Amino acid sequence: MVETVRHPHSKRFVNQHVHYTVCDSLMRYAEFLGFGSIHTKIDEQTGLKAIIAIHNLSRGPAIGGCRMIEYKTIDRAYEDSLRLAHMMSFKAAINDLPHGGAKAVLIKPRVMKDREAYFEKFGEFVNELGGKYITAVDSGTDMQDMDIIARRTSYVTCTTKSGMESDPSPLTAIGVRRAIQAAVQFKLNKDSLEGVHVAIQGAGHVGYCLAKEVHALGARITITDVNVNALQQCVDEFNAVACAPEQIYTVEADVFAPCALGAILNLDTINRLRVKIVAGSANNQLAHHHYGTLLHERGILYAPDFLINAGGLIHVAVIYDHGDIKKSMEQINNIYNTAYDIFERSQRENVATNEIAEKIARDRLRSK
């Protein structure tokens, strides 16, 4: 029998069995991902409900964006923070940054009475962690929010004084473009993108910027998006060919670049692909880890997403550490070399590229 009890601090009834099952599940998920620490701050006066998930500190202070969006439940917010922080550790490690991964998740209040007080309180929360976590812009926050946070802590980047651009999409797109160039050289033995056909899924911020990057180098583009206006902009500016969302998987092209939703590479979509290379900006493209092996078996070269979409993180980290834009661009461009090395190792060992990349990241996280 499931016991239902009255919560001691509320008039609401709480199903005790379900409550503990959810908490236990999140704890097991955190343990599975190799955390780390998880910190929570609630401030009734400002409405702040914040989670800072710090995945790993072995390589240095953890860095990751401050995301403020609406969540249906606090459990989903916790799960999001864990998943994203784990991925940030892998991004930092595979790109050899002296940082661990973290993510701050702010549960967006329905009504924010005082945005300045809200982010000042969050800044105090960051400062309480003593430099273990460095915060940055993410979905729902901007550079002006970082300026407010900076009133209460020095462990923040992406401020208006940092010399950074407000939108990291162009930097992310550069990293993806460099990976595409490496893949085209390795798989197609071509040292340019002239005439290479790239099918892009998503014409949003990064998808648009990637289309701009590859178009400038002579690539042909097929693109799709549910946003008709964004799609038309790419058609007009880059002479791209538009297609329906479901048709993108069957476009006969050289490169498929997923730049929208995650988990889009599954048994069905992989079997429909008519490309030689998959390289895009979307997070968590593989619906399951083993689908990387399926791509490998089909002879499709996969550029691991957490490696190639890290341009924004690289820039944020290098600017925070060195204040050197030139150095950040050098490291973003180095995604080419890292990707090419993984492609060679994958071929030599006959192992999927995602497994190679994950092993490199895990080894680096353990070695410090």
Side-chain angles (χ1 to χ4, degrees):
M1 178 180 293
V2 175
E3 181 184 4
T4 301
V5 298
R6 188 182 294 276
H7 194 281
H9 302 299
S10 172
K11 294 181 179 179
R12 294 182 295 108
F13 281 98
V14 178
N15 183 311
Q16 194 176 43
H17 174 79
V18 173
H19 172 71
Y20 285 118
T21 298
V22 170
C23 290
D24 185 52
S25 178
L26 286 170
M27 186 66 72
R28 286 201 306 271
Y29 185 48
E31 185 178 16
F32 172 75
L33 294 178
F35 272 80
S37 60
I38 306 159
H39 307 265
T40 304
K41 172 73 74 174
I42 298 174
D43 183 70
E44 291 186 6
Q45 187 172 356
T46 61
L48 178 71
K49 293 180 180 178
I51 303 160
I52 297 177
I54 298 176
H55 177 257
N56 192 285
L57 293 170
S58 63
R59 296 179 59 82
I63 193 165
C66 171
R67 170 171 296 195
M68 183 176 67
I69 61 176
E70 295 178 357
Y71 288 92
K72 291 183 178 180
T73 68
I74 194 168
D75 302 317
R76 290 191 178 183
Y78 271 104
E79 183 180 357
D80 211 20
S81 69
L82 296 174
R83 177 179 58 81
L84 293 168
H86 172 256
M87 187 56 64
M88 293 300 285
S89 277
F90 271 46
K91 286 186 182 187
I94 194 65
N95 286 287
D96 210 17
L97 296 172
H99 290 282
K103 184 67 72 169
V105 166
L106 311 183
I107 300 174
K108 186 177 181 180
R110 292 181 180 178
V111 178
M112 187 177 293
K113 298 177 182 178
D114 187 333
R115 195 176 183 98
E116 291 195 12
Y118 181 93
F119 279 103
E120 283 183 354
K121 183 59 66 174
F122 176 70
E124 292 174 9
F125 181 27
V126 171
N127 203 57
E128 288 170 7
L129 299 179
K132 293 180 180 179
Y133 168 61
I134 301 160
T135 196
V137 167
D138 205 309
S139 302
T141 60
D142 57 31
M143 297 178 81
Q144 286 68 39
D145 296 327
M146 299 303 112
D147 286 346
I148 297 169
I149 293 168
R151 298 173 189 171
R152 296 291 184 264
T153 185
S154 61
Y155 306 119
V156 57
T157 185
C158 298
T159 63
T160 56
K161 295 180 181 179
S162 66
M164 297 177 62
E165 298 293 331
S166 59
D167 182 7
S169 300
L171 300 166
T172 303
I174 290 172
V176 176
R177 185 256 296 167
R178 291 295 286 153
I180 289 174
Q181 289 176 299
V184 165
Q185 176 68 65
F186 182 84
K187 187 74 175 178
L188 307 182
N189 197 30
K190 293 191 63 170
D191 58 7
S192 81
L193 296 186
E194 187 71 38
V196 171
H197 187 182
V198 182
I200 302 176
Q201 182 185 49
H205 292 294
V206 180
Y208 169 84
C209 292
L210 179 62
K212 184 177 182 180
E213 288 281 331
V214 299
H215 172 72
L217 296 177
R220 296 188 295 119
I221 299 169
T222 298
I223 193 164
T224 191
D225 198 290
V226 295
N227 185 324
V228 176
N229 292 332
L231 188 61
Q232 189 60 49
Q233 183 178 11
C234 290
V235 171
D236 294 341
E237 293 186 21
F238 311 127
N239 197 30
V241 175
C243 73
E246 276 302 306
Q247 291 177 336
I248 196 70
Y249 298 110
T250 55
V251 171
E252 190 169 353
D254 298 301
V255 182
F256 172 50
C259 296
L261 299 175
I264 53 88
L265 293 172
N266 54 44
L267 183 62
D268 173 56
T269 58
I270 291 172
N271 284 328
R272 291 163 62 193
L273 289 177
R274 302 169 69 190
V275 296
K276 300 178 180 67
I277 296 163
V278 173
S281 67
N283 285 311
N284 304 307
Q285 294 168 25
L286 299 172
H288 191 283
H289 175 85
H290 68 248
Y291 287 129
T293 299
L294 179 58
L295 286 166
H296 181 72
E297 290 173 347
R298 281 206 58 200
I300 298 173
L301 183 63
Y302 174 61
D305 49 43
F306 68 89
L307 162 64
I308 74 173
N309 67 10
L313 171 63
I314 293 170
H315 190 62
V316 165
V318 173
I319 292 297
Y320 182 85
D321 292 336
H322 307 288
D324 190 338
I325 293 176
K326 181 180 178 181
K327 185 176 179 63
S328 80
M329 293 308 301
E330 288 175 355
Q331 288 200 227
I332 292 170
N333 277 300
N334 193 55
I335 287 174
Y336 179 105
N337 296 320
T338 305
Y340 201 92
D341 288 346
I342 289 171
F343 300 154
E344 286 188 320
R345 182 172 165 182
S346 171
Q347 183 182 64
R348 185 170 62 251
E349 299 179 12
N350 194 27
V351 174
T353 54
N354 64 306
E355 292 189 17
I356 298 290
E358 289 168 16
K359 186 178 187 307
I360 292 170
R362 282 195 299 268
D363 289 347
R364 286 178 178 173
L365 289 171
R366 293 192 194 106
S367 65
K368 293 291 184 175

